[in-house]
């Protein structure tokens, strides 16, 4: 009889521990919304889930990169577009100044206007985003252009020839701007933008009709060059927008799969908790009756 009671008591104790553990498990699922939080919950789902979590973190970083890159590229493109407008005005002014009916005073006045436009160009070429000088290449912590009478074209440059870029995927990078080296490189004949502007100003100051006329084609070349750079950045914007959409879609799929692997069905967890609770209460009730029966037998 004693052996039978000992075995029964042990069985009840194991069942109580088991049902109590089930209650704790399902209660945690209800509280956290997670079915798998450790390897013992479901080893395969846990390992696969960790893999998806790593992929999601990596793609979220790519998404952040693409977002920042888009802001950089759009800011760069806007600056380049404004440069185009200034160069169009500069070319129009120079064309008008080349006319033989313009006198020396007219041309000196025009030279001061060109100087002002040049200063506007320098301001745009020193555009910043989040404290980065976008046209400075990777040397982006200092202004890429400064007035310096001893430098070519009267404008010194600190930019290197490595453009800013962002990583938007495994082995995939996109340039978000152009370098100052590219910016002032000019078009046909490799005309330095600021040297051409300086030559234009000097020709106007010296009342040099031929020099002014020669500047018109060079300014046109530089305008075409800036247009091509703006187009280049526009292509980068399109690529980053596409990359961002692709990352969004990938993240949606990965989060969905992670959810399938690790998240709990809360309604099902609540039902399972209630079932485990009922089993636990049943075990307690049965054990209580057995203890009462054993006590009566002892008293007899």
């Amino acid at each position: 009889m004693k052996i039978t009671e000992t075995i029964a008591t042990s069985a009840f104790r194991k069942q109580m521990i088991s049902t109590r553990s089930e209650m704790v498990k399902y209660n945690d699922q209800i509280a956290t919304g997670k079915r798998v939080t450790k390897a013992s919950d479901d080893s395969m789902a846990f390992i696969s889930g960790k893999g998806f979590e790593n992929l999601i973190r990596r793609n979220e970083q790519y998404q952040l990169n693409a977002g920042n890159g888009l802001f950089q590229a759009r800011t760069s493109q806007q600056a380049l577009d404004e440069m185009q407008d200034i160069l169009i005005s500069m070319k129009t002014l120079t064309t008008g100044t080349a006319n033989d009916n313009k006198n020396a005073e007219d041309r000196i006045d025009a030279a001061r206007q060109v100087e002002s436009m040049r200063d506007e160009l320098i301001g745009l070429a020193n555009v910043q985003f989040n404290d980065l000088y976008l046209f400075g290449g990777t040397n982006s912590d200092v202004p890429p252009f400064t007035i310096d009478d001893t430098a070519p074209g009267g404008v010194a440059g600190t930019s290197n020839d490595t453009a800013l870029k962002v990583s938007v995927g495994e082995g995939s990078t996109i340039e978000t701007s152009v370098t100052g080296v590219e910016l002032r490189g000019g078009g046909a004949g490799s005309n330095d933008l600021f040297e051409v502007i300086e030559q234009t100003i000097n020709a106007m100051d010296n009342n040099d009709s031929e020099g002014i006329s020669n500047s018109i084609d060079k300014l046109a070349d530089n305008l075409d060059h800036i247009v091509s750079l703006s187009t280049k950045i526009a292509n980068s914007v399109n690529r980053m927008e596409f990359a961002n959409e692709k990352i969004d879609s990938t993240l949606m799929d990965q989060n969905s799969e992670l959810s399938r692997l690790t998240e709990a069905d809360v309604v099902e967890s609540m039902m399972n908790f209630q079932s485990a609770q009922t089993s636990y209460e049943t075990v307690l009730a049965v054990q209580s009756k057995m203890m009462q029966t054993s006590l009566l037998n002892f008293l007899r």
Side-chain angles (χ1 to χ4, degrees), residues 3-270:
I3 295 175
T4 302
E5 289 179 358
T6 300
I7 293 173
T9 300
S10 177
F12 277 119
R13 184 180 294 112
K14 288 180 180 178
Q15 192 170 359
M16 286 175 63
I17 292 172
S18 175
T19 53
R20 180 63 181 171
S21 296
E22 290 288 291
M23 289 171 62
V24 170
K25 180 178 76 172
Y26 293 123
N27 187 60
D28 286 345
Q29 289 181 9
I30 294 167
T32 65
K34 296 290 184 181
R35 181 181 68 84
V36 178
T37 58
K38 52 188 182 296
S40 58
D41 293 332
D42 184 334
S43 60
M44 291 301 295
F46 181 80
I47 293 170
S48 297
K50 286 298 179 183
F52 275 107
E53 286 175 358
N54 290 334
L55 289 173
I56 289 168
R57 279 195 295 269
R58 189 183 310 164
N59 281 316
E60 285 175 341
Q61 183 60 56
Y62 289 143
Q63 188 177 54
L64 180 62
N65 293 349
N68 287 333
L70 274 171
F71 279 114
Q72 290 181 19
R74 286 170 177 157
T75 303
S76 298
Q77 186 180 13
Q78 181 178 353
L80 289 167
D81 289 344
E82 291 180 27
M83 288 182 199
Q84 291 175 42
D85 293 338
I86 292 172
L87 283 171
I88 289 171
S89 297
M90 190 181 293
K91 179 175 173 289
T92 300
L93 176 64
T94 303
T95 301
T97 308
N99 195 305
D100 288 337
N101 64 6
K102 297 295 182 181
N103 58 36
E105 187 176 345
D106 293 331
R107 287 170 175 169
I108 289 172
D109 288 342
R112 302 293 76 78
Q113 293 180 58
V114 172
E115 280 183 346
S116 178
M117 292 178 189
R118 178 205 60 191
D119 293 345
E120 288 184 64
L121 286 173
I122 292 172
L124 290 168
N126 286 334
V127 67
Q128 289 179 276
F129 177 79
N130 283 349
D131 297 325
L132 295 177
Y133 288 95
L134 298 180
F135 295 117
T138 53
N139 192 23
S140 58
D141 58 340
V142 293
F145 298 102
T146 53
I147 297 290
D148 182 350
D149 292 338
T150 65
V155 179
T158 60
S159 172
N160 57 33
D161 59 359
T162 304
L164 293 174
K165 61 182 67 175
V166 293
S167 176
V168 296
E170 193 68 32
S172 177
T173 59
I174 301 175
E175 292 184 357
T176 60
S177 186
V178 297
T179 70
V181 175
E182 288 179 282
L183 186 64
R184 70 183 298 166
S190 297
N191 299 317
D192 180 281
L193 172 63
F194 295 111
E195 287 188 44
V196 169
I197 294 174
E198 184 180 57
Q199 292 165 11
T200 303
I201 293 169
N202 289 339
M204 290 176 175
D205 279 332
N206 294 324
N207 198 26
D208 179 1
S209 298
E210 184 179 353
I212 294 172
S213 295
N214 290 337
S215 295
I216 296 171
D217 288 339
K218 293 180 180 179
L219 287 171
D221 288 338
N222 279 276
L223 174 58
D224 290 342
H225 179 64
I226 296 298
V227 170
S228 70
L229 294 181
S230 180
T231 302
K232 176 182 177 181
I233 297 304
N235 290 334
S236 290
V237 168
N238 291 336
R239 288 180 61 199
M240 279 184 282
E241 287 176 342
F242 177 77
N244 214 11
E245 291 174 4
K246 185 178 178 181
I247 294 168
D248 272 341
S249 177
T250 300
L251 278 171
M252 189 179 299
D253 291 341
Q254 290 172 341
N255 277 302
S256 176
E257 185 61 16
L258 178 62
S259 175
R260 186 188 69 79
L261 287 167
T262 64
E263 290 188 7
D265 182 328
V266 177
V267 174
E268 182 179 348
S269 296
M270 291 177 67

